[in-house]
Amino acid sequence: MTYAKLERFELILKQLDLEGKIIVTNIADALQVAPETIRRDFDELEQQHLLTRVHGGAIKYTNVRNEPAFLRKLQMQKEAKRQIARMAAKRIGDGDTIAVDTGTTTVHIADFLLAVDDITVVTNSIAAAVQFNLAIEERRMTGKVILLGGTANPRQSSVAGAMTLEMLENMNFDKAFISCGGMSEGVVYDYDLDESLISKKMQKHSKVNYLLADASKINGKSFFQICHLEECTEIFCESTCPLEWQAYEEKWTVCNGGKS
């Protein structure tokens, strides 16, 4: 049976009302259409505020004004983030002790490590810890991964809180790799207070600080301040430094598909 678009919309919303969450492939099978068709339907229904897209499916509409959930963010500007992470990974050398904060760019750093030995990775990102451990299992690096203690935040695949900050107080790093929610007027911002405090603490206890920020973060401003751009040793972005930001041009590294 072939369903017209409006009929598909009605069936999608009815199923969503019954289940609370629906999966692209399941709906595609039920309606006997390609998954790409359902994804387009979901996009259109989301624009009408009738549902909210999530990784692999959709849930009932929620007004996403704060930071998107981790899996949702992971798909945004994904190629740019991987280009940035590839360049950042080149800054990691044998014997380094590094700090890696929570972010959907920093999580990719481990993917690009190759033949790096005796690394100590300290992170509050559960997702990043998994990726660094995978790099050890695949023998792309040797060393150890320390996942900081604290209160788990499933939406961000992270830990944070007073315990996390206390653990960091006793640590020192060669290099810190920091993500952000936005950069504006020389200030680096994040969406979440607890996570911004951890990023700030990592920077304070590190000799060298790297900022990983895709172009969507330029001129973005959120409530919590991490640091000033001048405090960053190097800024990785897939886009060139804005003309009005020439004070930071020497720190700015354009990441273009892994070329050095």
Side-chain angles (χ1 to χ4, degrees):
M1 179 178 180
T2 302
Y3 293 92
K5 181 193 286 189
L6 291 180
E7 291 178 313
R8 292 199 307 272
F9 284 6
E10 183 177 352
L11 291 168
I12 288 169
L13 294 173
K14 182 178 180 180
Q15 198 66 23
L16 183 61
D17 189 52
L18 288 172
E19 298 184 11
K21 179 179 179 179
I22 51 178
I23 306 300
V24 168
T25 52
N26 292 348
I27 295 295
D29 289 344
L31 299 183
Q32 298 182 335
V33 296
E36 290 74 16
T37 299
I38 299 302
R39 292 189 185 96
R40 289 194 294 269
D41 289 348
F42 282 9
D43 287 339
E44 194 166 335
L45 289 167
E46 185 172 48
Q47 291 172 8
Q48 298 176 36
H49 295 173
L50 295 174
L51 57 72
T52 295
R53 292 292 309 274
V54 296
H55 184 67
I59 59 174
K60 292 183 179 181
Y61 175 71
T62 55
N63 187 4
V64 184
R65 290 192 175 183
N66 295 320
E67 185 176 26
F70 185 81
L71 288 177
R72 184 184 178 89
K73 287 198 323 176
L74 202 59
Q75 303 306 314
M76 299 176 179
Q77 293 82 42
K78 185 174 182 178
E79 185 53 39
K81 291 173 179 178
R82 287 184 63 81
Q83 290 178 11
I84 291 166
R86 184 195 299 271
M87 186 66 74
K90 294 181 179 182
R91 302 298 185 261
I92 300 174
D94 293 348
D96 279 344
T97 297
I98 67 171
V100 179
D101 76 352
T102 297
T104 52
T105 304
T106 51
V107 72
H108 294 297
I109 293 174
D111 297 345
F112 300 104
L113 292 179
L114 186 64
V116 187
D117 292 322
D118 195 26
I119 307 302
T120 299
V121 181
V122 177
T123 185
N124 67 316
S125 169
I126 298 169
V130 170
Q131 294 306 109
F132 279 104
N133 275 319
L134 181 61
I136 293 174
E137 290 176 17
E138 294 178 349
R139 300 183 180 180
R140 293 183 285 109
M141 65 168 273
T142 63
K144 59 185 175 183
V145 180
I146 299 172
L147 178 61
L148 294 165
T151 303
N153 181 348
R155 286 180 57 80
Q156 300 305 332
S157 187
S158 66
V159 293
M163 183 187 298
T164 319
L165 290 170
E166 184 176 354
M167 290 183 72
L168 283 169
E169 189 62 41
N170 299 309
M171 296 179 177
N172 292 296
F173 309 107
D174 297 304
K175 299 163 185 175
F177 295 84
I178 304 300
S179 59
C180 70
M183 305 177 288
S184 179
E185 299 176 347
V187 179
V188 181
Y189 294 93
D190 200 5
Y191 295 95
D192 184 272
L193 173 60
D194 288 334
E195 290 183 6
S196 69
L197 290 174
I198 290 166
S199 299
K200 186 188 292 284
K201 182 75 73 174
M202 286 177 171
Q203 284 194 317
K204 179 181 177 182
H205 288 253
S206 179
K207 298 174 185 176
V208 177
N209 292 301
Y210 297 113
L211 178 67
L212 286 64
D214 66 80
S216 71
K217 307 301 193 300
I218 296 174
N219 292 320
K221 187 176 183 179
S222 52
F223 190 65
F224 305 110
Q225 178 178 318
I226 298 175
C227 65
H228 289 84
L229 282 173
E230 63 189 28
E231 298 175 65
C232 301
T233 308
E234 191 172 5
I235 302 160
F236 296 102
C237 185
E238 85 281 12
S239 176
T240 56
C241 182
L243 290 175
E244 64 273 23
W245 291 14
Q246 293 306 297
Y248 313 110
E249 187 173 18
E250 291 186 1
K251 298 174 178 284
W252 200 278
T253 296
V254 179
C255 306
N256 47 10
K259 298 177 182 178
S260 56

